[in-house]
Amino acid sequence: MRKILVVGAGQSGLQLALTLREHDYDVTVMSARTPDEIRAGRVMSTQCMFHDALQHERDHGLNLWEEQTVRVEGLGVSIAGPDSGRVMDWVGRLDNYAQSVDQRVKMAGWLELFEQRGGKLIIHGVTTADLNALARMYDLVVVAAGKGELVQLFDRDPARSPYTSPQRALSVAYVHGVGPRPEHPDFDAVRFNIVPGVGELFMIPGHTLSGNCHIMFFEGVPGGPLDCWSDRPGPGEHLERMLGLMKQFLPWEYERSRDAELTDSRATLTGGYTPVVRRPVGELPSGTAVLGMADVVVANDPITGQGSNNASKCAASYLDSILERGDQPFDRAWMERTFERYWEYARHVTDWTNAMLRPPPPHVMDILGAAQENDVVARRFVNGFSDPTDYQHWFMDPDKAADYLASLPTRT
């Protein structure tokens, strides 16, 4: 039985570990925290997983919270004008619903499920020195911990990484008490609010420790009015500051959120990171090669909500590559091929996400404007969040965008 070590207990690492157990691999996961410590900790992220990624979980019996989690049935776009009114506002329906489960809930539950399915769990923070000593005991070591010392094993790929600094200042609050959008009171949708030159606010229906909730998520342009979190305010002040910014820049979202309350005392988060693509193979001091996955090797800004989706799809791709390898060695050449197979998908997500960080060019504004008038355009845009490879055919290129819009039937 082949022995595999997965370092990190997030979406990608645990999904890979759990699915490898189905094929009787001897799998060990190293996590810095116990399930109870994860549940008692601070929120770790925002996330909204779309149909294609959710299906990976369903296929392997990992969708433990699907029945109780609110269904996200649409995605809407609003653009604020100079007077804080809306110059654009529309919502498109998803062909299949999305869902967002607090990672404190999911990762704690998956760690417990991993042990129930015969996996070996070691609770220990891992340093490079630790991994150097452990690696020789395994046929393959996968590093899925996107933060900390181990990331330094993987060199930045400058040809695939256009940015050298964070492109947004991030702030998050999980809350109860947000009312429905009056434009669509009969279904829940992610709302993507854009304040040109200032930043974005996402309102994401989700599920947390205390039940269904909303995730309020600001992305601020560095140096602008939403880049105001360096003092790391306490939870109550954090929420009040977010509500104040909503009232100033996005009053339509403030009106339904004015009575919001934090879901718990650890429901806020601030930060920021540089979008980066790293080389997939790291080398330990002993010369042993280790394989990076998901955020370790492709870390996109969360402006397109693809972090957990990428992680799920990376785990599914790596699973296929491992199974196909059979008894052959997991050498450096195989690791490179395994990543490039995933990159054939992830490059489209990276290109789209990097483009969304820049001011929208005229052809993108044409598409968003057309979506307000034409549900066909709106649906194609919002369903691309499940399969972003579609954007290359019509959204990313001005000529393709013009051809697509021109091909639409004239509305009478």
Side-chain angles (χ1 to χ4, degrees):
M1 186 183 298
R2 308 205 77 180
K3 297 180 67 176
I4 295 179
L5 174 64
V6 178
V7 182
Q11 175 76 40
S12 64
L14 283 177
Q15 182 179 318
L16 178 62
L18 282 159
T19 53
L20 283 169
R21 282 298 306 142
E22 294 177 19
H23 300 275
D24 294 325
Y25 283 76
D26 182 339
V27 187
T28 300
V29 167
M30 297 193 73
S31 169
R33 295 185 292 169
T34 68
D36 286 343
E37 288 170 339
I38 292 171
R39 290 189 183 99
R42 182 180 292 274
V43 293
M44 296 180 278
S45 67
T46 62
Q47 63 285 308
C48 187
M49 296 185 68
F50 295 89
H51 173 73
D52 288 0
L54 291 176
Q55 193 59 48
H56 290 309
E57 298 185 1
R58 298 183 186 114
D59 290 344
H60 298 281
L62 305 180
N63 57 328
L64 307 184
W65 303 273
E66 184 157 6
E67 292 305 313
Q68 60 262 50
T69 299
V70 59
R71 295 184 176 189
V72 178
E73 298 186 78
L75 188 147
V77 175
S78 301
I79 299 180
D83 62 351
S84 295
R86 282 172 282 187
V87 298
M88 186 180 297
D89 184 58
W90 54 266
V91 62
R93 295 296 290 262
L94 292 164
D95 293 341
N96 301 280
Y97 62 81
Q99 290 188 314
S100 173
V101 177
D102 185 341
Q103 290 199 352
R104 295 178 297 180
V105 173
K106 181 187 282 190
M107 301 316 150
W110 276 6
L111 277 173
E112 293 166 345
L113 181 64
F114 176 67
E115 287 196 288
Q116 292 167 18
R117 294 186 176 180
K120 300 173 184 176
L121 175 61
I122 298 174
I123 306 299
H124 194 281
V126 185
T127 66
T128 301
D130 295 329
L131 197 57
N132 194 51
L134 289 168
R136 65 176 66 94
M137 300 167 56
Y138 297 90
D139 297 296
L140 173 64
V141 175
V142 180
V143 178
K147 299 176 183 177
E149 176 185 324
L150 295 182
V151 176
Q152 299 173 22
L153 292 170
F154 304 90
D155 295 333
R156 175 177 178 270
D157 186 341
R160 293 171 170 174
S161 304
Y163 298 116
T164 56
S165 62
Q167 297 301 294
R168 293 292 189 272
L170 313 177
S171 58
V172 177
Y174 282 53
V175 299
H176 293 307
V178 173
R181 266 287 198 112
E183 300 92 335
H184 49 85
D186 56 330
F187 68 92
D188 288 290
V190 171
R191 297 300 313 203
F192 180 13
N193 299 278
I194 302 169
V195 185
V198 175
E200 301 82 25
L201 169 68
F202 297 85
M203 300 290 289
I204 307 169
H207 181 79
T208 187
L209 299 161
S210 51
N212 288 330
C213 66
H214 273 81
I215 303 166
M216 298 162 39
F217 174 37
F218 266 124
E219 289 225 344
V221 173
L226 303 184
D227 183 4
C228 59
W229 306 99
S230 60
D231 60 335
R232 299 290 191 268
E237 185 181 349
H238 182 116
L239 177 59
E240 287 303 311
R241 192 176 300 179
M242 290 191 80
L243 289 172
L245 292 167
M246 291 167 67
K247 186 176 184 180
Q248 178 181 356
F249 293 104
L250 303 155
W252 59 90
E253 294 291 7
Y254 171 77
E255 286 304 316
R256 68 185 185 117
S257 307
R258 60 194 311 160
D259 296 323
E261 298 180 349
L262 292 173
T263 59
D264 61 86
S265 62
R266 298 164 301 282
T268 60
L269 184 68
T270 62
Y273 57 85
T274 303
V276 64
V277 177
R278 298 185 180 93
R279 302 193 189 281
V281 182
E283 185 172 308
L284 295 168
S286 64
T288 301
V290 296
L291 175 64
M293 77 178 301
D295 281 357
V296 173
V297 287
V298 182
N300 291 328
D301 187 277
I303 193 168
T304 54
Q306 294 299 303
S308 292
N309 295 275
N310 275 357
S312 174
K313 293 171 184 179
C314 183
S317 179
Y318 279 23
L319 174 67
D320 289 343
S321 293
I322 291 169
L323 297 180
E324 291 168 9
R325 191 63 172 167
D327 294 329
Q328 299 179 72
F330 298 116
D331 55 22
R332 182 183 293 268
W334 173 85
M335 292 180 183
E336 296 279 359
R337 291 194 303 272
T338 293
F339 172 74
E340 290 299 326
R341 180 180 187 175
Y342 166 60
W343 179 247
E344 278 303 303
Y345 168 82
R347 66 186 179 91
H348 298 292
V349 183
T350 299
D351 289 345
W352 171 51
T353 302
N354 289 342
M356 293 295 286
L357 288 167
R358 297 186 286 269
H363 78 274
V364 169
M365 291 304 298
D366 289 343
I367 288 172
L368 297 179
Q372 184 165 249
E373 304 298 329
N374 190 325
D375 187 58
V376 171
V377 182
R379 280 181 174 265
R380 185 169 187 182
F381 177 76
V382 303
N383 282 287
F385 280 72
S386 183
D387 179 15
T389 63
D390 182 51
Y391 291 122
Q392 65 180 308
H393 301 303
W394 70 290
F395 185 84
M396 297 294 293
D397 178 84
D399 292 335
K400 291 179 180 179
D403 290 344
Y404 170 69
L405 294 177
S407 73
L408 297 171
T410 303
R411 301 189 66 175
T412 59

